[in-house]
């Protein structure tokens, strides 16, 4: 956790980001993902976020490829699953991305679900304790050591206890699909020195004014950055088209 990483992320992310459309049944080919990232960057968005499940894809590899395909866009994991990799490996990968692309990567971490822990042969345990232990072990010495490159580290946090933990052991929190009242409570818990990144549902065919109003409500409540997230299993191409159409109304908010 560093003040520099928090301030760098705030400036780089801006007010609005986009979540790449997610499906749990299929993954768009890399060429489609790369083209989408380039289109969204050209549309004026400053940040894009990708999800992770255990198996099927590796979010950090995906982010590495998309960082290389774009020029300025910040990429974040929303959320990288702690069951997908060992904590020291997560830190080493994140630090290498930060070294290769300074100021363009944010690591979001989350505990996921019991089924995901079971898929790796482990027990889910107590989420708060599991995440505390994981984050604590990320910075354990390794040989060779990870690159000495700063990056912001945030926790997926949809409840007040997890928000409090994020304020204690990470650079901030990333709640998703919560109302602005929750955002205000989270900001009060985190204080001014932590990042507050918020996932906001993007409705199909949502009007630009309505999307902008939802973003403004979270920013007014204390969010540093709002991520527009299409419903799960939104068609990838249709979701990207919608985000591109909304860009003129939303990128002005940054």
């Amino acid at each position: 956790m560093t003040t520099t990483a928090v301030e760098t992320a705030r400036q780089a992310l801006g007010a609005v980001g986009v979540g790449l459309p997610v499906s749990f049944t299929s993954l768009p080919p890399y060429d489609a993902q790369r083209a989408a990232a380039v289109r969204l960057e050209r549309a004026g968005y400053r940040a894009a976020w990708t999800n992770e499940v255990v198996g099927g894809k590796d979010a950090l590899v995906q982010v590495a490829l998309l960082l290389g395909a774009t020029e300025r866009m910040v990429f974040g994991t929303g959320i990288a699953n702690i069951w997908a990799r060992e904590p020291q490996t997560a830190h080493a990968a994140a630090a290498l991305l930060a070294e290769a692309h300074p100021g363009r990567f944010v690591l979001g971490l989350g505990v996921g679900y019991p089924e995901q822990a079971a898929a790796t042969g482990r027990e889910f345990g107590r989420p708060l304790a599991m995440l505390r232990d994981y984050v604590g072990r990320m910075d354990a010495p390794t040989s060779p050591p990870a690159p000495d490159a700063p990056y912001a580290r945030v926790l997926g946090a949809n409840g007040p206890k997890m928000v409090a933990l994020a304020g204690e052991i990470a650079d901030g929190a990333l709640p998703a699909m919560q109302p602005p009242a929750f955002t205000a409570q989270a900001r009060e818990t985190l204080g001014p020195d932590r990042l507050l990144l918020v996932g906001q549902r993007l409705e199909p065919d949502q009007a630009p004014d309505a999307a902008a109003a939802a973003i403004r409500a979270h920013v007014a409540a204390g969010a540093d950055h709002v991520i527009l997230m299409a419903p799960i299993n939104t068609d990838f191409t249709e979701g990207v088209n919608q985000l591109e159409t909304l860009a003129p109304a939303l990128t002005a908010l940054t």
Side-chain angles (χ1 to χ4, degrees), residues 75-95:
F75 285 88
T77 54
I79 295 292
N81 196 296
I82 67 169
W83 307 107
R85 59 189 62 81
E86 290 298 313
Q88 295 96 328
T89 303
H91 170 57

Side-chain angles (χ1 to χ4, degrees), residues 24-251:
F24 290 152
T25 59
S26 64
L27 185 67
Y30 168 65
D31 285 349
Q33 297 179 52
R34 177 184 60 194
V38 170
R39 285 173 58 195
L40 293 171
E41 181 178 54
R42 288 176 178 168
Y45 291 111
R46 290 164 56 179
W49 297 78
T50 184
N51 78 316
E52 181 168 68
V53 294
V54 177
K57 74 168 182 175
D58 185 309
L60 296 181
V61 173
Q62 180 186 22
V63 164
L65 293 170
L66 297 178
L67 280 165
T70 51
E71 297 180 0
R72 300 170 303 280
M73 182 171 266
V74 179
F75 285 88
T77 54
I79 295 292
N81 196 296
I82 67 169
W83 307 107
R85 59 189 62 81
E86 290 298 313
Q88 295 96 328
T89 303
H91 170 57
L96 183 59
L97 291 175
E99 181 183 52
H101 304 279
R104 294 182 59 200
F105 177 65
V106 175
L107 179 66
L109 290 168
V111 72
Y113 302 99
E115 297 82 0
Q116 294 169 331
T120 66
R122 288 172 283 184
E123 294 185 6
F124 187 69
R126 295 157 50 205
L128 291 168
M130 293 298 300
L131 203 47
R132 180 187 290 278
D133 176 71
Y134 187 95
V135 172
R137 290 192 290 132
M138 287 179 70
D139 298 317
T142 56
S143 182
D148 183 16
Y151 62 91
R153 189 182 297 176
V154 301
L155 305 184
N158 281 340
K161 292 182 179 179
M162 194 63 81
V163 171
L165 181 66
E168 179 185 347
I169 68 172
D171 293 307
L174 199 170
M177 311 309 177
Q178 300 291 338
F182 185 92
T183 299
Q185 293 170 359
R187 173 51 73 198
E188 183 175 357
T189 299
L190 293 171
D193 298 328
R194 293 289 185 268
L195 289 169
L196 179 53
L197 317 177
V198 175
Q200 169 64 38
R201 180 182 172 93
L202 177 62
E203 301 293 344
D205 300 321
Q206 189 166 22
D209 289 349
I215 292 167
R216 289 193 186 97
H218 284 291
V219 171
D224 292 301
H225 178 74
V226 181
I227 307 161
L228 288 174
M229 296 179 168
I232 299 297
N233 293 326
T234 294
D235 178 80
F236 187 80
T237 299
E238 291 180 3
V240 172
N241 289 343
Q242 182 184 14
L243 291 169
E244 191 173 43
T245 299
L246 290 171
L250 303 185
T251 57

